[in-house]
Amino acid sequence: MKYGEKPQLIKEDGTRLDGRRPEEPRPIHMEVGVLENADGSALVSFGKTRVLAAVYGPREPIQKYMVLPDRAILRVRYHMAPFSTGERKSPAPSRREIELSKVIREALEPVVMTELYPRTMIDLFIEVLQADGGTRTTGVTAASLALADAGIAMRDLVSGVAIGKVNGKLVVDIDEVEDMYGEADMPVAMATRLGKVVLLQLNGVLSKEEFVKAMDMARKTLEAISEMQRKTLLEKYSKVLQS
Amino acid sequence: MSFTPFRIPIVPQLKKNMILSLIEKGLRIDGRRPEEPRPVKIVTHYLDKAEGSAYVELGKTKVIAGVKLEVGEPFRDMPDLGVFTVHAEFVPLASPSFEPGPPDENAIELSRVIDRSYRELGAVELEKLSIIPGKKVWIVWVDLYIIDHDGNLLDASMIASLAALKTTRIPGFKVEGDNVVVDKEATSGTLPLKEEAVYVHIAKIGDHLIVDPSLDEEVVADSRIAFAVSRDGRIAGIQKMGQGGMTIDEINNAMELALSVAPKYFNAVDAAVNNEGNEGR
Amino acid sequence: MAEEKIIVLPGDKLDGPNLEVRGLGRNYATYKLGDEVYAALPGVLEVTEEKKIYIPLENVYIPKPGDIVIGIVVNVGLSYWTIDINAPYNAVLTAQEFLNRPFNPASESLSLYLVEGDYVIGKISSFDRFRSPFITLKGSEKFGKIVKGKVIEIKPSRIPRVIGKKRSMINMLMEESGCDITVGVNGRIHINCDNPHIEDIVTLAIKKIEAEAHTSGLTDRVRTFLKDKLSNS
């Protein structure tokens, strides 16, 4: 149910509104260990979308009944800052934020080795500082960096990106305008080394062939994003090897 | 805020082992084949006071969908369109794991996933639901009531909402200046629906994919994924759920499975809608 | 002995039959998939001709019996104190353990002895992850309440470097500074010097070890650093 004047999202020469090629993500920037208090933290931006993630724990939960005897409980909050959007966003949690907190938590459950920390809680707080499309996938990418930074055992990093369909064409890493006027938005997150898809949603309509192609585009992009995450962590630790 | 579930129903270890060992042989605890959904029972016109309604049983899972039409104001940025909204309640009588209170993340997820598929397909012709352009439109409320939870609430809820929407009538009304007077006793037409979809929910247990998981199967599943499938076989929504990952091959297989099962659900809806009243109260 | 050091990250394969995992136990730092072993934490992999040594660079401190830890009192109960040991689990120090005599909560208050914010040094006596860790104060005259000096906190993963091979680093730190230094494996270090200014210099030296943990010739560089700072003071 899109409304308003629809811009031409794919130009004559096949490039997108902001000049990108269909399979080209926005400029990606990653930093780890950006917060003093948190046990682990990361700041990740995809173009203008910028997300901060922080990890606390594993620690004893304040509510003593919130424990499992054989593993840690993950507690995830995806939240958008009031100034992150065009119109001010109310800071109260929306239904959208509640759903996204759940899908992000479920994306991290397969990689975090929660069985090592029974009776504890691992808190993961994700704040969207600026929203320009792809906030949940940027959030999950930042979250996995923050978990590694916190020294919480993980089977793999998690990387996320949204594939979209705009003007009938599949494109990688859609921004807000492409999401608003496009035909489909498919956020995907993977633990690429394990070859596992850990987050997948589709808002929009795709044919079977388009879906298969979109998943393949997602995998290729996520392998590259995973390498960027590794590079970010390697840079942080290279210091301990060379003075 | 989302927590790792810590109040999930406990499946006894022996039962869990049985589910797993049967799956290895391509069998399921209730005798179904992996690709076989449970029997669907649909009763349309289940309620009098709703403009559309359906009662659905998917195996032992039971859902009521009620559609209410009310006159209201359109959204400012979409002044000529009616309003469509889906809401789900997991009422406490349905399961020992449901608590009274505002909808939890599972109820919110269910309603948003269903809402998205109708919205993205442009299923309800909202432009035909404008009464006084820019001022008065029909607001379509779809309320899903889960009354017995034996797994796969998504497929059951989607079928219930579709059967209810397909049998929804628009009340009679008169425009008097800027006011709309509604006569709920009369009928001015049926709800314009140009696209339809069903969800097919697939669970991965071990290395096996099964359609329409029961509650026990959901609890032991490694991962789950649901595909919304339109009448013409397009994918109109996806939601991956649960705590494990799936390979791309597994996801593609699940997608094929969903496309092959969807016609069964559509047939069940068609049979119920075309025999209106036969199965009713 | 040719030695190569590389950084490994979660999901990296740590193959080779002679893999040794330092610091944390193998189960806390690696995982198996089939027959292969993978890293679960960012770490350093030292590759020599004979073996591979994997040392995590970030980890959560998990208590185990026998660990010497430095804790902070976070709650005074009726018959025990709750102690933060920089771990996912708070530890318990009983009144009887601290006082070394029977204790009657009806007639005495524990806040006479230790209050919130006090530091204690002790040893983990029991812990099985299903019940809270307990602290014992038996075994060393250093155990008990810290009344003097300074406590600093570093990453628990860097503690083995502060101690050094065969205690080489910690012995050097104590000899050069003349201070008494107690290392808690939970990442807290007690520095007790006659002169508070020297405590600050030792703090800087330990922070240097934390930052450059896996560089070669670190002990000598820290010695030079200490000598230099101490002679200027």
Side-chain angles (χ1 to χ4, degrees), chain A residues 47-155:
Chain A
K48 280 185 248 166
T49 290
R50 195 184 308 161
V51 181
L52 189 58
V55 171
Y56 282 88
R59 57 185 178 182
E60 290 190 358
I62 295 181
Q63 283 105 332
K64 298 289 179 205
Y65 66 93
M66 280 191 180
V67 292
L68 284 167
D70 55 350
R71 52 162 292 173
I73 283 183
L74 271 184
R75 182 169 73 159
V76 174
R77 185 174 95 139
Y78 162 96
H79 185 247
M80 294 179 88
F83 45 75
S84 64
T85 46
E87 271 176 46
R88 180 177 182 271
K89 193 228 153 248
S90 157
S94 64
R95 287 164 64 85
R96 177 178 172 278
E97 287 168 301
I98 291 170
E99 185 200 340
L100 295 197
S101 298
K102 176 179 186 282
V103 297
I104 292 172
R105 176 180 59 73
E106 289 180 337
L108 296 165
E109 300 264 16
V111 296
V112 178
M113 293 166 64
T114 51
E115 66 278 14
L116 297 183
Y117 318 108
R119 299 193 297 118
T120 67
M121 185 174 275
I122 298 170
D123 276 318
L124 184 59
F125 302 123
I126 296 169
E127 289 290 337
V128 177
L129 302 181
Q130 192 160 275
D132 192 44
T135 58
R136 85 198 69 178
T137 47
T138 307
V140 84
T141 305
S144 93
L145 284 174
L147 285 162
D149 185 43
I152 291 172
M154 280 196 292
R155 291 178 185 86

Side-chain angles (χ1 to χ4, degrees), chain B residues 101-154:
Chain B
D104 71 352
E105 61 179 29
N106 297 302
I108 288 172
E109 178 182 47
L110 179 83
S111 55
R112 285 179 53 84
V113 164
I114 288 177
D115 186 292
R116 280 204 286 269
S117 295
Y118 283 116
R119 204 170 290 280
E120 296 289 345
L121 274 170
V124 181
E125 292 180 87
L126 298 180
E127 57 280 7
K128 293 188 182 164
L129 295 180
S130 175
I131 305 172
I132 307 172
K135 289 187 179 144
K136 296 287 178 196
V137 298
W138 286 112
I139 298 178
V140 182
W141 299 93
V142 180
D143 280 293
L144 293 161
Y145 238 55
I146 313 299
I147 57 167
D148 211 352
H149 179 10
D150 191 37
N152 194 7
L153 301 179
L154 183 52

